[in-house]
Amino acid sequence: MNNTQKISFIGAGNMSKAIISGLVDKGYLPTNIMASNPSAGKLDALKDTLGIHTTHNNQEAIDFADVVMLSVKPHLMHSVCAGFTLHNLDTLFVSIAAGLTVKRLREFLPENAHIVRVMPNTPSAIGLGMSGIYATSDITDSQVHLVEQIMQSVGKTVVVKTEDDINTVIAAAGSSPAYFFLIAEVMQRAAIDMGMDKTSARTLVEQAMLGSASLMQKTPELELSQLRAQVTSKGGTTAKAVESLQQDNIDKIFARAMQAAVARAKEMS
Ligand code: NAD
């Protein structure tokens, strides 16, 4: 990764910590990174463990950086960003806040600010994140590439074409860890109801989920339906279970859930 760009994080919470750790782990120079936060505890931990610069002054972090990662809670973004002054007009602002559109961000970021939206998800904390990236037309390819590299330090990225696509990213990847946890939870409960102990039930479900996800990643040449067919012998146990899920309209259940997530994202923006 190009190690010369300076990156600041406004807000040193969970997501910033994950990305900063990922960057330093991948060899990014800690002295090219700064984090700003009102309280000292999180900053001291980042400074001591990772060797980055820290400050309580957001403007100092803006002045330090080529790329500013806006990483505070969405409802605080307005008050946090309202007073920023931009000395370097090429500064790139990357908002990871869910639900704040570029139009909304423009209302409180400095005039003519260059803005990219990123939607990461929680597995970023263990380096297995999935982030969608949306860049406005004034953003250069090398700036987009830089944001990709930053987010690839905690997982995979897709660059989407329209801002609406970010809502699909939210439905398919931002919120979906919760769908998978829910599936694991109901399967664990069903196994317990069949007489399995709780720990074994969790191990069975967890390992099957992890193995299936790895299998998907390792065999990109196979359609998902082909992978499913490989586990499904005609008239066998899997066929019966899948038939039951399809009779219960699993397609519609998930389509409706994802549409609900998109509708909520639109309401929030
Ligand atoms: P967090 O609460 O852990 O971190 C936010 C940090 O901002 C806190 O450390 C807080 O002290 C700090 N802060 C508050 N006021 C500030 C100010 N005036 N100046 C500077 N810092 C200030 O939240 P998080 O989970 O890291 O989420 C950060 C952003 O990332 C949110 O906008 C959230 O929507 C987005 N996001 C998070 C996830 C996730 O999985 N955690 C996923 C997608 C998007």
Side-chain angles (χ1 to χ4, degrees):
M1 190 191 299
N2 176 346
N3 231 324
T4 58
Q5 304 278 344
K6 292 198 164 73
I7 308 170
S8 280
F9 291 78
I10 306 295
N14 296 322
M15 197 43 81
S16 291
K17 184 180 166 206
I19 301 169
I20 295 168
S21 305
L23 284 167
V24 173
D25 251 24
K26 295 263 179 322
Y28 208 85
L29 264 185
T31 47
N32 276 347
I33 301 174
M34 182 180 279
S36 175
N37 206 77
S39 55
K42 290 174 185 171
L43 291 182
D44 290 346
L46 286 171
K47 190 178 191 167
D48 294 346
T49 56
L50 300 172
I52 65 163
H53 297 290
T54 57
T55 179
H56 297 301
N57 180 343
N58 288 337
Q59 186 61 46
E60 185 187 348
I62 303 287
D63 293 341
F64 171 86
D66 301 294
V67 181
V68 177
M69 304 292 291
L70 298 170
S71 187
V72 297
K73 291 287 185 197
H75 70 279
L76 291 178
M77 198 65 90
H78 188 161
S79 60
V80 170
C81 297
F84 290 166
T85 308
L86 203 52
H87 297 117
N88 171 7
L89 296 181
D90 291 330
T91 306
L92 183 63
F93 287 91
V94 179
S95 166
I96 66 166
L100 283 181
T101 58
V102 169
K103 183 166 176 269
R104 181 87 183 95
L105 289 161
R106 285 209 189 288
E107 288 169 16
F108 42 80
L109 281 173
E111 211 181 333
N112 300 325
H114 303 294
I115 302 173
V116 171
R117 277 185 69 189
V118 166
M119 188 63 213
N121 67 4
T122 48
S124 303
I126 54 162
L128 290 172
M130 181 66 235
S131 301
I133 298 171
Y134 168 70
T136 52
S137 54
D138 57 316
I139 306 298
T140 64
D141 287 349
S142 64
Q143 284 175 316
V144 173
H145 187 55
L146 179 61
V147 177
E148 284 182 283
Q149 287 185 314
I150 293 171
M151 297 316 297
Q152 280 167 9
S153 71
V154 289
K156 293 196 172 191
T157 57
V158 291
V159 178
V160 299
K161 289 195 176 65
T162 70
E163 192 164 13
D164 270 352
D165 290 339
I166 282 287
N167 294 334
T168 310
V169 171
I170 291 173
S175 302
S176 65
Y179 321 157
F180 297 127
F181 296 138
L182 178 62
I183 292 169
E185 207 181 315
V186 296
M187 285 180 65
Q188 181 192 32
R189 205 175 303 134
I192 291 170
D193 288 347
M194 290 169 185
M196 186 67 61
D197 68 273
K198 192 176 172 190
T199 309
S200 303
R202 176 164 171 162
T203 306
L204 290 171
V205 173
E206 194 180 279
Q207 187 63 12
M209 215 173 218
L210 182 65
S212 309
S214 290
L215 208 52
M216 278 195 275
Q217 275 201 329
K218 291 199 168 120
T219 50
E221 71 284 3
L222 293 179
E223 294 290 343
L224 299 180
S225 57
Q226 289 175 300
L227 277 169
R228 177 159 58 81
Q230 285 183 353
V231 210
T232 315
S233 333
K234 208 167 171 227
T237 56
T238 313
K240 283 288 169 203
V242 170
E243 201 180 290
S244 166
L245 287 167
Q246 287 173 333
Q247 272 167 4
D248 286 339
N249 262 327
I250 187 158
D251 295 29
K252 270 202 188 125
I253 289 172
F254 273 89
R256 267 206 309 269
M258 288 174 65
Q259 281 155 10
V262 168
R264 181 67 186 132
K266 284 183 179 162
E267 261 170 30
M268 286 165 67
S269 52

